[in-house]
Amino acid sequence: MIKSEWFYWLIGAIFLIMAVQMLRDRTNPKRYGTAAFWGLLGVGFIYGTWVVQDKAPPEPLGVAVLVMAVLGGFKLTGKGVRNTTTPAERDASARRLGNRLFIPALTIPVVAVLCATVLKGQSLGGEPILEEGSETILGLGFGAIVALVIGMIILRERRVVTPINEGRSLLEAMGWAMLLPQMLATLGSLFSTAGVGEQVGRITESVLPSGQTYVAVAVYCIGMAVFTFVMGNAFAAFPVMTAAIGWPVLIQGAGGDPHVVLAVGMLAGFCGTLTTPMAANFNIVPATLLELKDQYGPIKAQIPTAIPLLACNIVIMAVFAF
């Protein structure tokens, strides 16, 4: 059986290797903080296995997360001078390779789908080939490895250290914002456990007029967008707004189709993602990587799409859910 934990160990090992490289990079004025941040993340991927198996206490992981928050929040991470090709060399390479550059990127979803469909349930010697329930995750892992090999073949790259160096440069460029979706999704779970959704539901029920289903639809969709704007992640807003309005008011109270209500509700939340700097990995990091003059350029370009898209989601839910 191929277990998903093996890929978590591989990811952790890669982070640790990159952390050592960052520590030795004297061009990075904040190399100690940078190495500590990504090193702690790598240790977490490996140590988490024993936490899940109840063989180790979870408190060290919590401490590691707090330390990482301090390192990122107080801007103790940075990046070194990147040793890479010139823009002219990259342009010439892109012209030479053409659409072949897309092959590695397309390989990942193809392999993931094959693992989740063809290899799922397949056995060898009476044991399932892939760990049950983790076929998609394993497919992504296999897809990344196959895509890496194909990419190195296409680019005629023989040094294994090259993708590690490029990955390290990308990590340093993105910084702590790379982990923001996971952190905010966890925050949404904490809010749900703490009963924030129930409190928002009580307030909503006291304000919403009884029997006004379409008003509740608008409040739910707009609330998803607003909470996503504040929290930076629709996955964090979803459990709060669904526990407050989506499930008790629209599905149980008004008899709405749960598939439509929940799916379109998430899409409404994504409209908030398009408009918030809190979604740094979507809206701020790309501007940094592309060296745009206006850091908020992507947000300004997306607002004219987000607002009418939110209105469309409200109409879709009102028409097809009831």
Side-chain angles (χ1 to χ4, degrees), residues 108-128:
I108 298 177
V110 170
V111 175
V113 170
L114 289 176
C115 289
T117 55
V118 178
L119 291 182
K120 183 178 181 180
Q122 297 296 320
S123 300
L124 184 64
E127 291 288 336

Side-chain angles (χ1 to χ4, degrees), residues 24-240:
R24 299 172 60 184
D25 184 6
R26 297 186 180 277
T27 65
N28 185 353
K30 300 178 180 180
R31 58 191 178 113
Y32 295 110
T34 306
F37 184 92
W38 297 108
L40 285 172
L41 181 62
V43 171
F45 270 95
I46 299 173
Y47 181 81
T49 297
W50 289 277
V51 174
V52 172
Q53 296 174 352
D54 292 328
K55 295 181 179 179
E59 287 78 9
L61 277 181
V63 173
V65 171
L66 293 176
V67 173
M68 291 171 63
V70 170
L71 292 172
F74 286 92
K75 299 181 178 180
L76 299 177
T77 61
K79 59 181 180 179
V81 177
R82 186 180 181 185
N83 184 19
T84 184
T85 55
T86 64
E89 290 174 331
R90 290 194 292 271
D91 183 65
S93 178
R95 292 178 182 275
R96 176 175 59 85
L97 295 171
N99 291 332
R100 285 182 291 170
L101 289 171
F102 293 101
I103 296 177
L106 295 174
T107 299
I108 298 177
V110 170
V111 175
V113 170
L114 289 176
C115 289
T117 55
V118 178
L119 291 182
K120 183 178 181 180
Q122 297 296 320
S123 300
L124 184 64
E127 291 288 336
I129 298 176
L130 303 180
E131 181 181 6
E132 294 182 356
S134 300
E135 293 87 358
T136 303
I137 295 177
L138 289 170
L140 289 173
F142 281 123
I145 294 175
V146 174
L148 174 61
V149 173
I150 292 176
M152 294 182 69
I153 293 174
I154 292 175
L155 298 174
R156 299 177 183 177
E157 179 58 59
R158 298 181 179 180
R159 297 178 301 170
V160 179
V161 72
T162 298
I164 296 179
N165 291 335
E166 291 299 316
R168 174 175 66 89
S169 298
L170 186 61
L171 280 185
E172 290 180 339
M174 296 182 66
W176 58 266
M178 176 181 170
L179 302 180
L180 196 58
Q182 291 83 358
M183 296 290 187
L184 293 173
T186 303
L187 180 62
S189 299
L190 292 175
F191 278 3
S192 179
T193 303
V196 174
E198 296 177 1
Q199 295 300 323
V200 174
R202 292 191 182 98
I203 296 174
T204 303
E205 289 178 359
S206 64
V207 175
L208 278 178
S210 178
Q212 295 296 322
T213 302
Y214 297 118
V215 175
V217 167
V219 172
Y220 178 52
C221 292
I222 295 173
M224 276 293 301
V226 171
F227 264 75
T228 301
F229 180 90
V230 173
M231 303 174 73
N233 192 304
F235 291 99
F238 184 74
V240 176

Side-chain angles (χ1 to χ4, degrees), residues 246-247 250-252 254-264 317 320-322:
W247 187 263
L250 296 179
I251 296 176
Q252 290 185 328
D257 185 336
H259 302 89
V260 178
V261 171
L262 300 181
V264 178
M317 185 181 296
F320 293 99
F322 304 95

